[in-house]
Amino acid sequence: MFSFFSNKKATKPNINSITIPNFGLKNLQDTEKVKQWMSEDESLILLQIFYDLEPDLPTMKNIDILRDFYRKQMVQYNGGLIEVDFISIKEFKILRNIFKVPQDPHGMAYMLSLIIPFEKCSYVIQVMGRELGSTGLRDSVVSSQLMQEGVVTVEENGFANWFADPYDENYKGGTLMNKSEQIIYDNDFEFHPLTKARKILTEIENKITFDAVLENLPLFRK
């Protein structure tokens, strides 16, 4: 009929119900389910994903269950946890994750995400960064510094007190977080992919906007 009838505001959630900055990255995909951007050097990828179905999370009430859930997932890829925690943005409870996975033949890839679950749908913001070219500089500099301070020592089987799951010191599966990946070292390695990805994720947390349609949407209750 008349074209102006199509201009009414959406009453159902869709991918445009949240808005994030794209940081001037190159647009690769823009569909009803996925928006994707990439840096010119292909070291960073930004994704905004809309899932129009019930979230597959085991819970949003118990963080220990979620950490174990993701440990079991990441160990399948020889990966590990750097962060799994709840945050709150504009009264929405959000799951913030940072994972690491070794690349072939060398270097590390980092996957950071914000998961925003509702009863029958969810949004996922992902930032993926990977080491290119020469790798391991951050690890080498920080490990040398910590060895001089006596925090890290060299033993028969390698470094002691260097690798650890951030929440369970007894867990030894996959590729564990090392001390150089702590956020306190980001300012010293501004061009490292983890630093850049973490900075982008933090800026998204500060600038993300939510459409009014989400305000009364039933929340994920598990």
Side-chain angles (χ1 to χ4, degrees):
M1 294 183 66
F2 300 107
S3 61
F4 59 78
F5 284 124
S6 64
N7 294 327
K8 63 182 181 180
K9 295 187 69 175
T11 56
K12 294 180 62 178
N14 59 67
I15 194 164
N16 295 311
S17 298
I18 65 170
T19 304
I20 62 171
N22 62 26
F23 304 94
L25 300 175
K26 179 182 178 181
N27 182 270
L28 296 182
Q29 189 175 178
D30 191 351
T31 70
E32 293 181 352
K33 302 296 182 183
V34 179
K35 295 185 180 186
Q36 182 179 17
W37 302 267
M38 185 173 66
S39 63
E40 288 295 330
D41 66 359
E42 301 184 2
S43 66
L44 282 171
I45 292 176
L46 173 62
L47 287 159
Q48 176 179 329
I49 308 169
F50 173 61
Y51 293 101
D52 193 15
L53 70 169
E54 183 179 344
D56 62 356
L57 295 171
T59 182
M60 274 293 284
K61 296 179 180 178
N62 189 316
I63 196 65
D64 291 326
I65 290 176
L66 282 164
R67 288 167 180 166
D68 191 53
F69 173 75
Y70 284 116
R71 282 188 194 100
K72 291 174 180 176
Q73 287 194 353
M74 296 312 300
V75 76
Q76 298 178 54
Y77 306 97
N78 195 29
L81 310 188
I82 292 179
E83 180 182 344
V84 176
D85 220 336
F86 294 135
I87 64 171
S88 178
I89 302 177
K90 299 177 183 177
E91 300 185 1
F92 290 100
K93 188 175 184 180
I94 294 171
L95 181 61
R96 174 184 164 115
N97 296 327
I98 304 179
F99 307 130
K100 61 183 290 187
V101 175
Q103 299 186 103
D104 186 19
H106 53 77
M108 202 64 60
Y110 298 93
M111 297 175 289
L112 297 73
S113 65
L114 301 175
I115 301 175
I116 311 164
F118 294 91
E119 185 179 59
K120 297 297 182 181
C121 67
S122 64
Y123 295 85
V124 178
I125 309 300
Q126 288 185 337
V127 186
M128 294 181 282
R130 61 191 180 104
E131 290 184 299
L132 298 176
S134 299
T135 63
L137 176 63
R138 179 171 177 153
D139 303 40
S140 178
V141 171
V142 175
S143 61
S144 295
Q145 174 187 328
L146 295 180
M147 280 192 290
Q148 291 176 6
E149 297 171 1
V151 175
V152 172
T153 58
V154 179
E155 297 183 350
E156 184 177 345
N157 296 322
F159 287 144
N161 200 33
W162 175 246
F163 294 103
D165 181 282
Y167 308 108
D168 183 357
E169 62 182 14
N170 296 316
Y171 181 77
K172 304 300 179 185
T175 301
L176 299 171
M177 178 183 180
N178 69 59
K179 280 186 162 51
S180 77
E181 291 161 331
Q182 294 174 331
I183 195 170
I184 59 174
Y185 297 109
D186 278 4
N187 289 339
D188 297 328
F189 302 94
E190 60 179 323
F191 298 111
H192 189 273
L194 177 58
T195 299
K196 293 194 290 185
R198 203 150 37 192
K199 183 178 179 180
I200 286 174
L201 196 69
T202 298
E203 190 163 346
I204 289 172
E205 292 168 11
N206 292 330
K207 294 184 177 179
I208 189 171
T209 62
F210 299 88
D211 191 88
V213 71
L214 301 179
E215 293 179 2
N216 298 315
L217 206 62
L219 299 176
F220 184 69
R221 295 295 184 185
K222 286 185 181 178

